[in-house]
């Protein structure tokens, strides 16, 4: 498994296609059903496991596994039965009453006393040894193996499958009402 090229390919083919839309622009979304999730204000990192070796890296192959070893260990445990997998996730700083901020993530990585508040919210599977052909199958796998509890160091980010006719309602509920960074 070539981890670096898989991550770069994923970044170029998936995350670069994300677009930012305001409330006024949500009507331009084409017909169809969509998976929506809240956008967390953090950094994109990848949990990579090949055989018994694992690490958490970004697309430049910077490895922060030792900095956030507690997150890596938790993922290793949760995915102990999985041989090869790459997960895409948002590393963010968990706050109970306010929304997370990118600067807090940077601060958390730099300050050992703040690292206990870092979380990896997983939102996709880049590669897996298990054949998962649709996002729905990937999401079910992630929910079953990682859980959705944001108090866990690693968890799947909540997603909702939304019909085109309900997109405005859910946009308002997720992207306006709760003051996140946005919606994906």
């Amino acid at each position: 498994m070539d981890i670096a090229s898989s991550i770069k390919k994923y970044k170029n083919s998936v995350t670069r296609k994300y677009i930012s839309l305001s409330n006024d622009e949500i009507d331009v979304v084409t017909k169809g059903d969509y998976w929506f999730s809240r956008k967390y204000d953090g950094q994109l990192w990848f949990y990579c496991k090949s055989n018994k070796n694992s690490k958490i890296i970004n697309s430049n192959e910077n490895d922060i596994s030792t900095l956030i070893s507690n997150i890596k260990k938790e993922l290793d445990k949760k995915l102990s039965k999985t041989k090869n997998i790459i997960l895409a996730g948002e590393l963010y700083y968990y706050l109970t009453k306010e929304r997370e901020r990118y600067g807090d993530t940077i601060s958390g990585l730099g300050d050992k006393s703040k690292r206990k508040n870092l979380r990896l919210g997983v939102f996709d599977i880049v590669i897996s040894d298990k054949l998962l052909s649709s996002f729905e199958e990937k999401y079910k796998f992630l929910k079953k193996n990682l859980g959705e509890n944001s108090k866990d160091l690693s968890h799947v980010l909540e997603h909702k499958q939304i019909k085109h006719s309900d997109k405005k309602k859910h946009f308002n509920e997720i992207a306006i009402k709760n003051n996140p960074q946005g919606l994906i």
Side-chain angles (χ1 to χ4, degrees):
M1 175 168 69
D2 184 1
I3 292 171
S5 65
S6 296
I7 288 172
K8 288 183 190 317
K9 183 179 175 185
Y10 177 82
K11 223 179 149 192
N12 288 329
S13 65
V14 178
T15 61
R16 293 240 164 114
K17 292 181 182 177
Y18 292 162
I19 57 171
S20 175
L21 296 175
S22 68
N23 192 26
D24 299 334
E25 298 169 317
I26 194 70
D27 290 327
V28 302
V29 175
T30 57
K31 291 201 184 284
D33 293 350
Y34 292 89
W35 284 92
F36 281 82
S37 72
R38 175 184 181 272
K39 170 70 175 93
Y40 283 73
D41 194 358
Q43 297 180 334
L44 176 63
W45 288 89
F46 298 88
Y47 169 80
C48 307
K49 182 178 181 187
S50 181
N51 297 312
K52 296 189 186 224
N53 299 314
S54 66
K55 58 187 173 180
I56 297 176
I57 62 173
N58 65 9
S59 60
N60 294 325
E61 297 183 67
N62 294 326
D63 188 337
I64 59 169
S65 300
T66 56
L67 288 177
I68 56 171
S69 60
N70 54 348
I71 294 174
K72 186 181 105 39
K73 286 176 189 172
E74 185 177 277
L75 283 163
D76 289 345
K77 185 177 179 183
K78 288 180 175 182
L79 297 166
S80 63
K81 294 179 182 170
T82 303
K83 189 175 178 183
N84 296 301
I85 195 163
I86 299 175
L87 303 177
E90 194 76 5
L91 184 68
Y92 69 95
Y93 194 82
Y94 177 75
L95 298 166
T96 54
K97 298 189 183 203
E98 301 172 42
R99 88 163 171 89
E100 70 292 330
R101 303 281 182 195
Y102 177 83
D104 291 328
T105 304
I106 299 295
S107 178
L109 285 169
D111 184 340
K112 189 175 184 175
S113 68
K114 294 181 179 180
R115 288 188 193 138
K116 67 183 180 301
N117 286 353
L118 289 174
R119 304 289 187 270
L120 186 66
V122 175
F123 57 83
D124 202 0
I125 298 173
V126 178
I127 289 178
S128 172
D129 51 12
K130 183 175 176 144
L131 180 62
L132 303 165
S133 57
S134 69
F135 182 77
E136 184 173 12
E137 290 175 349
K138 291 178 181 182
Y139 185 54
K140 285 179 182 176
F141 174 87
L142 292 170
K143 279 176 44 173
K144 177 182 174 190
N145 290 280
L146 302 183
E148 296 176 284
N149 186 350
S150 62
K151 291 182 181 177
D152 286 353
L153 298 174
S154 61
H155 58 93
V156 65
L157 297 178
E158 180 185 17
H159 287 72
K160 291 183 179 181
Q161 191 170 20
I162 307 298
K163 295 194 179 304
H164 186 266
S165 58
D166 294 333
K167 69 183 182 314
K168 187 94 167 173
K169 173 185 156 200
H170 288 283
F171 182 89
N172 287 331
E173 282 177 12
I174 299 170
I176 305 290
K177 191 176 179 182
N178 297 320
N179 190 30
Q181 184 185 20
L183 187 72
I184 293 184

